[in-house]
Amino acid sequence: MSSSVLLPAARLRALRPDWLRDPRVWRTETLAGLVVALALIPEAISFSIIAGVDPAIGLFASFTMAVTIAVVGGRRAMISAATGAVALVIAPLNREYGLGYLVAAVILAGVFQAILGALGVAKLMRFIPRSVMVGFVNSLAILIFMAQVPEMTGVPWPVYPLIAAGLALMVFFPKVTTVIPAPLVSIVILTVVTVAAGIAVPTVGDKGELPSSLPAPGLPDVPFTLDTLTTIAPYAFAMALVGLMESLMTAKLVDDITDTHSSKTRESIGQGIANIVTGFFGGMGGCAMIGQTMINVKVSGARTRLSTFLAGVFLMVLCIVFGPVVSDIPMAALVAVMVMVSFATFDWHSIAPKTLKRMPAGEITVMVITVACVVATHNLAIGVVVGSITAMVVFARRVAHLAEVTAVTDPDGSTVVYRVTGELFFASSNDLVGQFDYAGDPKKVVIDLSAAHIWDASSVAALDAVETRYAQRGKSVEITGLNQPSAHLHSKLSGELAANH
């Protein structure tokens, strides 16, 4: 009887999340959430300015996004909040039509994301090459650093020693103890020093007024007509795509850092739900925040949903309860944190001379193009798309040269066997037709494809063209050695593509 009672109890304990089973995990997640919340405040205010809305709109969005995604998201410890990429997409809509249309677009973008997630758009992540991923990470680090440059130009001279002191604290404090995250220690110490000494430097309060109450749910203030839908749909769809791409790329990055797997489909649907909730609370929408995620995962060591949830909760508590204190935090402290995140995010191994010597030129080109596009446009999604297309072109050019044709004539001269080796697709099959001696070959021609694979209609059309040219000279062609997928494709399309010649 005792064992039957104990077994369910043991199962219940096993089902409890890590932060409930281990006090050390709880402490790490809580402190990580606090650090992220502090870093979120100036970022959310800055993105609100980009979108042309009141700072409270960005802060509300960061609160609802983080709290919602902590429950419904697929990637643990990833931070979602108001982001610059989303702000850039929806800013024109807000300028032209007002806040009501912006909020309606956020809700519709969430619906689009949930639908795309359910349709399996996350599976497209398999087609993003490693060189694009490395370029994405490096360009992200550069963008994080570039975002701090305005906070370091045209400022009072005490800002620079404060930033240096903050960086020194984050480098050396972990050698003393890792119980408290170094960024939190740095923020607290620099704030105490500047307030106690009365040092006049830019503070969080200079960015904008913090909200004094929680957001209230409601419907967007727009006419519910077809005209409204056609107005917001393009912006909503663009926001959905940009948000999903940034979120899925960030999730993959966190997977690699933590050596764990996450459900990208659940993450896609979760991002949609979080944006729908955010829209109904009057927020500006958002997606995964890569910089804050790196603070949470790489700097603070968070691994569970608790840190994400608490980041959102602490954000509102800090704004509403501790607004005057938070307003006194020097921007230099937060700049130091983000500079450290930038340095830690960059993949320094990827640009080491030893790595560059061994890496194929095509891979390096893809990485550089990805970085250049992101830095030039300040849009991670554009860089990933251009980088992926470049990688496909490089791959196609490389594989196109792998298809070879060799001929062997029988001793009696009655038959010639052409052995085709490699992958036959649109790039490689274009040269196939010109590699046969139509005039000089004997009456019987055998094309052996046992060492080849047919991938597309272009290859079938090329083989049909070869047969047609031999037939025009009264010669027969026999195609042998097709594997099952190639034989199926060939039998289905052969003879049906004559109009393409």
Side-chain angles (χ1 to χ4, degrees):
M1 181 178 175
S2 60
S3 62
S4 64
V5 174
L6 286 173
L7 187 58
R11 282 179 179 169
L12 282 172
R13 281 196 299 272
L15 288 171
R16 285 188 302 176
D18 291 343
W19 53 270
L20 274 178
R21 282 183 276 155
D22 189 343
R24 289 173 300 178
V25 174
W26 185 89
R27 183 184 62 223
T28 299
E29 301 296 312
T30 303
L31 292 173
L34 180 56
V35 174
V36 170
L38 288 167
L40 272 174
I41 293 172
E43 294 267 308
I45 295 172
S46 298
F47 298 145
S48 300
I49 294 167
I50 291 171
V53 299
D54 188 85
I57 304 298
L59 290 164
F60 288 157
S62 296
F63 164 62
T64 52
M65 286 292 297
V67 169
T68 307
I69 206 70
V71 179
V72 299
R75 175 65 257 178
R76 296 178 180 182
M78 193 165 81
I79 305 296
S80 290
T83 58
V86 168
L88 286 169
V89 171
I90 58 176
L93 179 65
N94 180 63
R95 280 196 301 270
E96 193 167 345
Y97 295 96
L99 181 61
Y101 281 79
L102 182 150
V103 171
V106 169
I107 296 171
L108 184 59
V111 173
F112 282 148
Q113 287 179 328
I115 293 171
L116 289 169
L119 292 175
V121 71
K123 292 176 182 175
L124 295 175
M125 288 297 294
R126 293 179 299 173
F127 299 102
I128 296 178
R130 184 185 176 279
S131 51
V132 174
M133 192 69 193
V134 172
F136 169 83
V137 170
N138 289 347
S139 56
L140 160 66
I142 294 168
L143 285 188
I144 292 173
F145 182 82
M146 286 174 66
Q148 311 314 309
V149 173
E151 305 296 338
M152 295 186 279
T153 54
V155 293
W157 69 265
V159 167
Y160 303 109
L162 285 172
I163 293 173
L167 290 170
L169 280 167
M170 283 182 284
V171 170
F172 296 109
F173 187 79
K175 299 180 187 299
V176 178
T177 179
T178 55
V179 172
I180 304 172
L184 180 59
V185 174
S186 176
I187 292 168
V188 170
I189 290 177
L190 293 188
T191 303
V192 170
V193 168
T194 52
V195 172
I199 302 172
V201 290
T203 63
V204 171
D206 296 332
K207 287 287 181 181
E209 191 177 344
L210 302 181
S212 57
S213 61
L214 288 169
L219 293 173
D221 183 19
V222 294
F224 292 90
T225 62
L226 186 60
D227 283 344
T228 301
L229 181 62
T230 54
T231 298
I232 65 174
Y235 295 96
F237 192 65
M239 175 184 161
L241 291 179
V242 169
L244 275 184
M245 188 169 292
E246 289 217 20
S247 299
L248 293 174
M249 291 292 285
T250 306
K252 191 172 187 301
L253 178 59
V254 178
D255 286 354
D256 294 342
I257 291 170
T258 61
D259 196 23
T260 56
H261 175 72
S262 62
S263 171
K264 305 302 182 296
T265 297
R266 177 175 171 177
E267 183 60 41
S268 302
I269 297 171
Q271 288 290 331
I273 295 170
N275 272 304
I276 292 170
V277 171
T278 297
F280 281 119
F281 275 91
M284 59 180 272
C287 61
M289 286 198 80
I290 307 166
Q292 272 63 23
T293 297
M294 290 299 100
I295 293 175
N296 198 44
V297 174
K298 207 164 187 179
V299 179
S300 300
R303 293 293 182 270
T304 75
R305 299 181 187 278
L306 180 64
S307 57
T308 307
F309 180 83
L310 289 179
V313 172
F314 283 148
L315 175 65
M316 280 294 101
V317 171
L318 288 168
C319 290
I320 296 168
V321 181
F322 300 102
V325 176
V326 173
S327 295
D328 286 335
I329 295 174
M331 284 302 298
L334 298 173
V335 168
V337 171
M338 297 311 291
V339 169
M340 182 61 75
V341 168
S342 169
F343 186 83
T345 302
F346 197 91
D347 185 352
W348 297 101
H349 176 72
S350 67
I351 60 169
K354 187 185 295 185
T355 306
L356 294 175
K357 283 180 183 176
R358 294 178 179 176
M359 193 76 69
E363 302 275 313
I364 297 172
T365 301
V366 169
M367 182 179 73
V368 170
I369 287 175
T370 303
V371 172
C373 284
V374 172
V375 173
T377 63
H378 283 234
N379 190 320
L380 291 160
I382 291 176
V384 170
V385 170
V386 173
S388 298
I389 292 172
T390 305
M392 290 175 193
V393 172
V394 170
F395 174 76
R397 284 176 58 84
R398 188 183 303 161
V399 176
H401 298 299
L402 298 180
E404 296 179 353
V405 179
T406 53
V408 178
T409 307
D410 276 1
D412 60 1
S414 63
T415 305
V416 62
V417 178
Y418 284 94
R419 182 175 174 81
V420 182
T421 305
E423 309 299 321
L424 297 181
F425 67 114
F426 62 90
S428 59
S429 60
N430 286 335
D431 298 328
L432 188 67
V433 179
Q435 299 194 47
F436 296 85
D437 184 5
Y438 301 101
D441 283 341
K443 291 289 185 183
K444 185 176 181 183
V445 178
V446 177
I447 301 176
D448 179 10
L449 295 174
S450 57
H453 185 96
I454 297 175
W455 287 103
D456 59 7
S458 297
S459 305
V460 177
L463 291 171
D464 282 357
V466 172
E467 289 187 78
T468 300
R469 291 194 182 188
Y470 275 116
Q472 288 170 348
R473 292 168 174 79
K475 301 174 183 180
S476 65
V477 175
E478 180 186 0
I479 296 176
T480 64
L482 287 169
N483 58 35
Q484 189 174 349
S486 299
H488 175 71
L489 186 64
H490 186 263
S491 64
K492 186 167 70 171
L493 296 179
S494 184
E496 303 294 328
L497 305 168
N500 295 335
H501 306 318

